[in-house]
Amino acid sequence: MLYLDLRDDTKHISNDSSRSAAHVPTLIVTHSDGTSTAIRQAVDILEYFEERFPDTCPLLPSSSAASQSRARALVRDFVNIIAVDVVEQQQQFPAGGSSNAVANRASVTGHGFEEQHQRATVAFRRVLASYQQLLESARGADAKTCLYTVGEAITLADVCLVPAMEQAVAYGVDMAGLQHVARIYNHLKKLPAFTDFDWRKHATANRRL
């Protein structure tokens, strides 16, 4: 696994601790004919593994039945809330201020970090609220007790939820009213699939949010 620089894809690093926001996780797949394919972004890489090794550790429900196809679509709905909506929400500035206004205030007052922190906090709160709303809509009464996002096993949605929740907790996001999402997160983070690969256990992990 490498991290390619989006500004120059000829540059890459293999040490997670030295990467920046411009670097994205990239999987280089070498084919039997000697050619290779670069697959960028974590979700796309996981989808590739899902298709390449469907029986190893499936992250999407089986597509053998119509109901399971709906479940697969639902998993992707949850994934998009995390993978897409967080970025879109963070690009929205607080009411009453434009991007230029925020930039000007940051340069004059030195409060750039506070502005960024505020946007991130609001973004994660809104995204997690949307996640719980979809959870309640999709699972009905079961949303009050379920330990996984879709079905009764880990899916790609759960894999995306855990790091998002980690960041939300680090930002101090108010979890009031998000009890269902919090319950799933608290259950997942105790499972070996997550504890064994906790970034805090790896010396090269990037500790910057």
Side-chain angles (χ1 to χ4, degrees):
M1 181 78 73
L2 300 173
Y3 288 92
L4 290 187
D5 192 330
L6 290 176
R7 298 162 299 189
D8 182 355
D9 61 11
T10 64
K11 297 180 179 179
H12 66 270
I13 59 173
S14 57
N15 188 336
D16 184 67
S17 62
S18 60
R19 72 184 178 93
S20 70
H23 292 91
V24 295
T26 303
L27 177 70
I28 306 297
V29 180
T30 302
H31 307 291
S32 58
D33 62 0
T35 61
S36 61
T37 301
I39 304 174
R40 298 173 177 84
Q41 299 293 357
V43 172
D44 292 342
I45 292 170
L46 289 171
E47 289 260 17
Y48 168 79
F49 285 137
E50 179 72 17
E51 295 178 4
R52 181 67 179 81
F53 309 103
D55 300 322
T56 301
C57 184
L59 294 176
L60 290 172
S62 170
S63 59
S64 58
S67 60
Q68 294 301 84
S69 295
R70 290 195 295 270
R72 291 167 73 91
L74 182 60
V75 167
R76 290 189 169 102
D77 273 348
F78 282 108
V79 169
N80 286 333
I81 287 177
I82 299 296
V84 178
D85 292 1
V86 166
V87 176
E88 292 182 350
Q89 287 289 340
Q90 284 186 287
Q91 290 174 343
Q92 296 181 15
F93 288 81
S98 65
S99 58
N100 288 335
V102 171
N104 290 337
R105 287 201 302 275
S107 63
V108 173
T109 66
H111 291 167
F113 174 79
E114 287 77 4
E115 295 281 3
Q116 182 182 18
H117 188 277
Q118 179 186 0
R119 291 199 303 275
T121 301
V122 172
F124 277 106
R125 171 70 194 185
R126 289 177 177 174
V127 164
L128 293 175
S130 296
Y131 198 100
Q132 175 152 302
Q133 185 177 22
L134 179 57
L135 184 72
E136 292 172 339
S137 174
R139 304 204 63 151
D142 189 38
K144 298 179 180 179
T145 58
C146 63
L147 298 177
Y148 301 93
T149 301
V150 177
E152 302 303 325
I154 295 172
T155 65
L156 188 57
D158 299 310
V159 173
C160 292
L161 175 64
V162 169
M165 283 290 290
E166 291 277 358
Q167 291 190 66
V169 170
Y171 277 118
V173 173
D174 180 8
M175 295 294 174
L178 300 175
Q179 66 275 16
H180 304 328
V181 175
R183 181 186 61 255
I184 293 174
Y185 164 67
N186 287 328
H187 170 70
L188 292 171
K189 70 177 184 178
K190 298 175 184 177
L191 301 179
F194 293 94
T195 59
D196 290 351
F197 296 95
D198 190 316
W199 62 270
R200 284 169 285 253
K201 293 183 178 181
H202 301 276
T204 60
N206 189 334
R207 283 162 170 73
R208 292 173 297 175
L209 291 177

